[in-house]
Amino acid sequence: MNWNEKLYNENEKPLDTLVSGYSHTSVFRKIAFIGDSLSSGEFETCDKDGNKAYHDLFEYSWGQYIARKNGLTAYNFSRGGMTAEEYIESFGETNDFFNKDKACQAYVIALGANDIKGNEDIGSVDDINKEDYTKNKKTFIGYYGAIISRYKEISPDAKFFFVSFPKDELRTSNPNFKVFYKELYNLSELFENSYVIDLYEYGPVYDYNFKKQFYLHGHMNPSGYILTAELIDSYIDYIVRHNPDDFKNVGFINSGISYK
């Protein structure tokens, strides 16, 4: 076995291979998943009169699938309909998500579906004050940056993964998406220990046939959330394997052991 070629093949691209069994996501023993309905295992119902209802079933969320497969602890710091503004203005504090007792080694942030739909001001990383998040401008990216800063307060050495939308005409045709997509990479440059999970570039296209297989009305079905878990898990595995120096000390994060 050529372990170097298998683990660090320089020609490998994200999602070339979906991992099976334990992945390198397992280097984290506690992960938080921050997002909206797409992170909450939400199922959508529709009655005979066309009335819709939405139900967050966390055990079906892709974060919990990743956790069960890799034997780690996962928090669903998410809810259907969530926006970055609501998260930082009330949701996170109300639910005690910024409690140091809940500090994680990694945070996967998958917000944006409800933030870019209308005429919201997307903003840019220029709206972020890293020294004082309360001074961030009230834009989507300003709120997004504040979320990162709040979690860095309780877990300074944690790793952060920012999830982009996949190719989906409903969302990626929105001019706001292009701005958001660019700013995800700018966020990963602004905040240390941060990476982009780029499903737009490397994930599947969410076209008619895809949605026929993996969707239930406007949200995913159980198989869709399993597939998403495979994609996110495999992407984190790829990032860890291709950046070994960045992750060799993750076992010490929040352990109280001095290692620097």
Side-chain angles (χ1 to χ4, degrees):
M1 171 188 177
N2 185 336
W3 64 269
N4 191 60
E5 181 177 329
K6 178 175 176 58
L7 294 179
Y8 309 117
N9 184 345
E10 64 180 13
N11 297 317
E12 181 187 13
K13 291 183 172 59
L15 303 183
D16 274 356
T17 304
L18 296 183
V19 295
S20 59
Y22 278 118
S23 75
H24 284 78
T25 306
S26 301
V27 300
F28 304 110
R29 307 314 301 149
K30 189 180 289 187
I31 302 180
F33 296 93
I34 299 161
D36 45 44
S37 62
L38 302 177
S39 301
S40 302
E42 183 164 293
F43 293 136
E44 181 178 332
T45 60
C46 185
D47 67 18
K48 61 183 178 61
D49 297 318
N51 300 310
K52 294 183 178 181
Y54 306 91
H55 313 273
D56 287 350
L57 300 180
F58 291 137
E59 64 267 34
Y60 280 98
S61 68
W62 44 266
Q64 294 301 328
Y65 278 117
I66 291 172
R68 289 191 292 268
K69 177 194 158 195
N70 287 299
L72 56 85
T73 298
Y75 290 122
N76 281 103
F77 290 168
S78 61
R79 196 204 68 205
M82 187 52 54
T83 64
E85 178 179 2
E86 182 182 357
Y87 200 102
I88 200 63
E89 294 288 352
S90 61
F91 183 69
E93 200 71 60
T94 299
N95 290 279
D96 203 29
F97 291 157
F98 304 123
N99 187 328
K100 192 167 181 62
D101 290 339
K102 298 178 181 177
C104 294
Q105 295 169 302
Y107 294 86
V108 180
I109 305 180
L111 284 165
N114 300 303
D115 303 82
I116 72 168
K117 290 191 296 187
N119 297 315
E120 294 86 349
D121 186 356
I122 303 302
S124 72
V125 293
D126 293 335
D127 300 335
I128 295 172
N129 185 320
K130 287 181 67 179
E131 284 66 47
D132 185 355
Y133 70 86
T134 66
K135 295 180 180 179
N136 288 10
K137 291 185 179 179
K138 296 185 180 302
T139 63
F140 172 38
I141 298 300
Y143 292 123
Y144 200 113
I147 293 170
I148 299 167
S149 294
R150 286 300 307 270
Y151 283 116
K152 279 186 171 288
E153 284 182 343
I154 65 171
S155 189
D157 298 322
K159 307 297 183 180
F160 287 78
F161 301 93
F162 310 140
V163 183
S164 82
F165 299 136
K167 288 187 176 71
D168 181 342
E169 185 177 358
L170 179 65
R171 294 191 176 92
T172 54
S173 62
N174 183 334
N176 284 339
F177 166 75
K178 294 181 179 179
V179 179
F180 173 42
Y181 181 65
K182 174 184 175 183
E183 292 304 321
L184 281 184
Y185 277 96
N186 290 336
L187 284 164
S188 71
E189 293 291 330
L190 180 65
F191 289 101
E192 63 179 355
N193 293 320
S194 299
Y195 310 84
V196 176
I197 294 177
D198 193 342
L199 298 183
Y200 180 75
E201 178 69 23
Y202 300 106
V205 177
Y206 286 32
D207 56 14
Y208 172 81
N209 288 329
F210 181 94
K211 291 184 176 182
K212 185 177 180 181
Q213 179 76 20
F214 295 111
Y215 267 60
L216 178 65
H217 305 297
H219 289 78
M220 287 191 159
N221 62 28
S223 293
Y225 289 120
I226 291 174
L227 175 63
T228 304
E230 292 178 318
L231 296 174
I232 300 295
D233 189 22
S234 298
Y235 211 119
I236 294 175
D237 173 89
Y238 170 87
I239 291 172
V240 173
R241 287 187 292 103
H242 284 263
N243 299 276
D245 287 343
D246 291 1
F247 294 93
K248 62 186 178 184
N249 288 315
V250 296
F252 297 121
I253 297 174
N254 300 327
S255 69
I257 300 172
S258 178
Y259 63 92
K260 293 185 178 179

